[in-house]
Amino acid sequence: MIYRDKKFFVKATMSQLLILLFALICYCSMDLESFYTKTVFEISYLLVMIQAFYVQRRLHEDWKNISNLFLFFFFFFLGNRFLFDLVSDEYNVCYFEFFLNRMVNVAVVKRAVFNLIIAVCSYTIGTIWWISRKQGRRNEKIPYLSVAGLMSQKTVYLMLFIGFVFKGYYSYQTYQALLTQGYLQYFIGGFDINRNLLMMFLEAFYEIAIFILISQKERLNKIDILLIIVYVIMSLATGQRGFAMLSFVFILFYMYKLGRIKLGFTAIVVLGIVLFVVASSMSYIRGGKEFSMEEIMNAFFDFFYGQSISITVLVATIDYENYIDFSFWDLFGHIRYLLTYYWDKLTFQFERPVDALTLQAEEYKWYGQYISSITNQDMFYRGLGLGSSYMGQFYAVGKEYMQLLGGVFVGYLVEFLYDKVCLPHFLKRFWAFHALTIIVFISRANLFEFINMQWHVYVVSVLLYIYFIHLNRILYRRTNNKCSKYV
């Protein structure tokens, strides 16, 4: 088995390298201004996606694996417009309606597709690299987690209650603000939310407790299931549909790998439709529009086409590359901002007299803010933005060279974290679980978003783990002392 695995690893890696070589030859030799060439590249990209799904199925011995989940959202957020462009004249992939609001040169779009092909192949190489280190195929199923020696079930429900109260309070405030003042005012900080650091930490109890409930072998009762659904609903209350929806999808994937639920084709299709309706409804609410089911259903295809708006980030990066000054260290801009912000708070330093948008775009270069300020400064300073994508970041750092190296890193990282989510160690598994809920989203987010986004949850999980370990040691010593008195 191991010998055959090694042969397949070599063949799969060689196939990715040959695809990359073929794509490079086509890119260098074909007429980049031709619309026929664009069609060739679009078809090639779709074929590359199909073969990537197949390779992951062979590597994991299951279609429903973590890398195919990542690649699906990669296609959903970055590539599905090219499928629409092939099958319908109604959609023009060279026209970008939001932020750019103009036609983009076809050569720029083709270079973007070329980068997508590089990213998919290099991602596959990264996954092969990690799995080949495991000396054969690993067990894809996630074992149940036992926390009996760490905390009691009553403690888990107490954490749920505390987290529910504080997360519910925060969600209620933001939802009311969205209804009364709109999503844009919320984004640019047009109103105050009563939320301090302690409240953030207490909110984190909810996610940690939900993770424990799902991970244990005990059967989930109706209240447990309701609390999981409520967690997603409260995450939606901030108007951030993408993160909330993908958190829900990853929770379902995690439960499937645990063996708690089955995910057949029909269930996946129904789930997709439900997520579409919920996400569209949230869009209407945060946009201040009246809800219309008929209008939502008529916009079904427009919704999926619109979700691939993250390709605009890559296209804009290529189109404005002469104006971009983005280094490797700028990839960590969110983390630097986070450390600086809380260091200033802890040391009682005064806030700098610079508005947040300028600080994020020019000094710390949060990529979504940075590229938005370059492409359309007027809209950006009115509170609008393109969002981000790790693909745009890689291109900005080192063009196709960085796209190749970065793709390998992302593939390796996803498989590495999935391996850790199978461990029996509570803290390691939770950290991997929490990181993966965000990493599957990085096609429309920053590369290291999984570190800085929801960072307080990592901190709280460590503190809780240390507390319960220390508490159990104290109880163990007391029990031993009592026993020794009777001996």
Side-chain angles (χ1 to χ4, degrees), residues 282-336:
M282 197 64 223
S283 178
Y284 273 68
I285 292 171
R286 79 180 194 180
K289 304 174 186 176
E290 291 186 6
F291 179 84
S292 170
M293 179 59 72
E294 182 180 355
E295 190 174 338
I296 286 177
M297 296 312 296
N298 289 336
F300 186 80
F301 291 110
D302 289 339
F303 168 79
F304 285 98
Y305 186 82
Q307 288 306 300
S308 193
I309 194 172
S310 295
I311 191 63
T312 310
V313 180
L314 177 59
V315 168
T317 303
I318 296 170
D319 204 24
Y320 288 83
E321 61 181 313
N322 294 331
Y323 301 92
I324 292 173
D325 178 22
F326 194 84
S327 69
F328 175 80
W329 297 112
D330 291 323
L331 290 172
F332 305 90
H334 277 71
I335 300 171
R336 290 194 299 113

Side-chain angles (χ1 to χ4, degrees), residues 45-83:
Y45 167 63
L46 295 176
L47 293 175
V48 168
M49 288 297 310
I50 292 171
Q51 69 84 32
F53 284 124
Y54 172 75
V55 170
Q56 297 301 335
R57 183 256 177 271
R58 289 287 306 276
L59 287 170
H60 298 83
E61 298 183 329
D62 184 3
W63 283 105
K64 287 164 277 192
N65 58 71
I66 187 63
S67 280
N68 274 349
L69 182 67
F70 180 90
L71 288 171
F72 172 79
F73 286 114
F74 181 94
F75 179 75
F76 184 69
F77 290 128
L78 287 165
N80 77 55
R81 287 194 175 193
F82 302 108
L83 177 61

Side-chain angles (χ1 to χ4, degrees), residues 169-193 232-242 244 278-279 281-290 383:
Y169 178 57
Y170 169 66
S171 299
Y172 172 77
Q173 289 183 88
T174 52
Y175 183 69
Q176 287 297 314
L178 286 173
L179 288 178
T180 57
Q181 301 186 46
Y183 182 73
L184 185 58
Q185 285 296 313
Y186 171 75
F187 177 77
I188 63 177
F191 51 82
D192 292 326
I193 297 292
V232 177
I233 293 172
M234 288 198 290
S235 299
L236 278 168
T238 63
Q240 295 175 301
R241 301 171 301 165
V278 172
S281 303
M282 197 64 223
S283 178
Y284 273 68
I285 292 171
R286 79 180 194 180
K289 304 174 186 176
E290 291 186 6

Side-chain angles (χ1 to χ4, degrees), residues 403-420:
Q403 208 71 264
L404 179 64
L405 295 174
V408 173
F409 168 75
V410 172
Y412 189 92
L413 177 65
V414 169
E415 291 294 341
F416 167 80
L417 288 171
Y418 184 78
D419 191 68
K420 301 309 173 190

